[in-house]
Amino acid sequence: MEYTSARGATWREAAKRAGRVLLPRRRRPGWSLLVPLIALLAGLLMTTTAHTAAGTALRDDRGPELTRLIEERRKQVAAGEAQAASLRADIDAQTGAQAGSDSGIAEQRARANALKQEAGFTALHGPGLTVRLDDAPRRPDGSVPAGADVDDVVVHQQDVQSVVNALWAGGAEAMTIMDVRVISTSAVRCVGNTLLLHGQVYSPPFVVKAIGDPNAMRRALEVSDGVLAFADAARLWGLGYDVSTQGDITVPAYSGSVDLDHAQVAG
């Protein structure tokens, strides 16, 4: 005899339904293949990350390491310049010794000495101008002025070049950047907001000193498009721009290499 529920289902049908609810459903065949594959890919990713990190934290700031490399390179450049200066002194000494007994060498040496001042190989002093360029100060929270971006509030390579070119055009007889003598073959390069000159790195403010007629050089600065653009930015964004007259400026002799990597004839 079978008992029937109020809804007309027998106890056997009710038991079958209960069994379907209690028993777990059969897994789909696809998942049984994907789970090992996902585990394999995760293991491969972890192995690759460990190999790349080489025992270090990938998210660590590499700033200190970069600073150390820059400082090491700066010391190497300074050592190389000191060695080059020593070798040039030895050559001059040997040339001077030979000039005493060789009229040809003596003649060429006298000719070279006559051109040293014009070429920048002698120290000079006299009246002139000092031009100072600096980044705009950041706000306490590190932000830049409203309407400006990061490039608007730093000194760029073309800003320094514009000042240097204007001073030469105004009749500068000798010039230094960051107290380093610059000559016709000197190149001004900027890396970020730092200045690269003769293998050395300098941070702002950038100071340019020039010996010559102060009034003539001021007029040259005031008509230079590049300098005027920087002066406008200084008024707008707060960059530093200052021109001052000096009664006596001393510039050292140039002591770097005069070798050219390349040259181009102006059209």
Side-chain angles (χ1 to χ4, degrees):
M1 181 176 180
E2 292 185 355
Y3 293 94
T4 303
S5 67
R7 294 186 179 180
T10 65
W11 67 271
R12 287 177 180 166
E13 291 174 343
K16 288 180 180 180
R17 286 198 298 271
R20 285 196 296 270
V21 174
L22 295 175
L23 292 176
R25 295 182 179 180
R26 182 178 298 175
R27 293 182 178 179
R28 297 179 181 178
W31 282 107
S32 62
L33 297 176
L34 287 177
V35 170
L37 180 59
I38 293 174
L40 177 62
L41 291 176
L44 179 61
L45 178 61
M46 294 175 64
T47 302
T48 303
T49 303
H51 178 72
T52 303
T56 64
L58 289 177
R59 297 179 65 86
D60 281 354
D61 183 13
R62 298 299 178 90
E65 180 180 355
L66 181 58
T67 301
R68 179 181 60 80
L69 292 175
I70 293 175
E71 180 62 20
E72 289 180 357
R73 181 56 178 165
R74 186 192 66 79
K75 291 180 179 179
Q76 291 174 0
V77 171
E81 289 181 343
Q83 183 180 12
S86 176
L87 292 174
R88 284 193 293 270
D90 289 342
I91 292 174
D92 288 342
Q94 293 182 23
T95 302
Q98 291 292 326
S101 58
D102 190 315
S103 60
I105 293 179
E107 181 181 351
Q108 294 301 320
R109 182 177 174 83
R111 182 183 176 187
N113 287 335
L115 298 174
K116 273 189 173 182
Q117 178 172 327
E118 185 176 352
F121 287 91
T122 58
L124 293 176
H125 72 93
L129 291 181
T130 295
V131 183
R132 184 178 182 273
L133 302 92
D134 197 5
D135 295 346
R138 293 295 182 93
R139 296 178 176 181
D141 61 356
S143 64
V144 298
D149 57 32
V150 175
D151 285 339
D152 293 328
V153 295
V154 298
V155 181
H156 292 280
Q157 176 177 315
Q158 63 267 24
D159 301 323
V160 180
Q161 288 176 332
S162 295
V163 169
V164 169
N165 291 338
L167 292 173
W168 286 130
E173 301 172 11
M175 193 181 307
T176 63
I177 302 176
M178 306 302 285
D179 291 326
V180 176
R181 181 72 176 268
V182 294
I183 59 175
S184 59
T185 58
S186 299
V188 177
R189 296 286 184 269
C190 282
V191 181
N193 69 331
T194 60
L195 177 70
L196 181 63
L197 178 64
H198 298 165
Q200 299 290 339
V201 179
Y202 302 93
S203 298
F206 303 129
V207 179
V208 182
K209 298 179 182 179
I211 294 176
D213 183 348
N215 294 327
M217 290 190 292
R218 275 186 181 274
R219 288 193 295 269
L221 290 171
E222 292 169 356
V223 298
S224 167
D225 291 338
V227 176
L228 289 175
F230 182 80
D232 289 340
R235 287 188 291 269
L236 185 60
W237 306 121
L239 290 96
Y241 177 62
D242 179 72
V243 181
S244 59
T245 300
Q246 305 293 321
D248 188 39
I249 296 175
T250 299
V251 298
Y254 178 76
S255 59
S257 173
V258 294
D259 293 339
L260 289 176
D261 293 330
H262 64 276
Q264 182 177 351
V265 178

